Amino acid sequence: MYQIPKKPGGLAMTGVLSFGVKIAIAAVTIAVGILLVRWAMIRRRAAREQ
């Protein structure tokens, strides 16, 4: 039972929104990964200096 959206651009907007959410999640994941790597490198450097 597929319902046709009343607005012609409704389906396109939903696709754009879900695509934007995917991009946002990917960006956050990459940013967190970079932060973790930098934090680990700083900790390793500090441990080596002691």
Side-chain angles (χ1 to χ4, degrees):
M1 289 296 199
Y2 179 71
Q3 290 184 343
I4 299 166
K6 298 197 168 55
K7 285 183 236 168
L11 205 63
M13 276 300 297
T14 305
V16 167
L17 279 175
S18 65
F19 188 62
V21 167
K22 284 177 188 172
I23 289 177
I25 291 170
V28 168
T29 304
I30 291 168
V32 168
I34 290 171
L35 280 172
L36 281 173
V37 168
R38 287 183 62 187
W39 180 72
M41 287 177 68
I42 291 169
R43 285 288 301 269
R44 201 176 298 147
R45 194 176 302 146
R48 191 180 297 146
E49 285 176 1
Q50 283 179 348

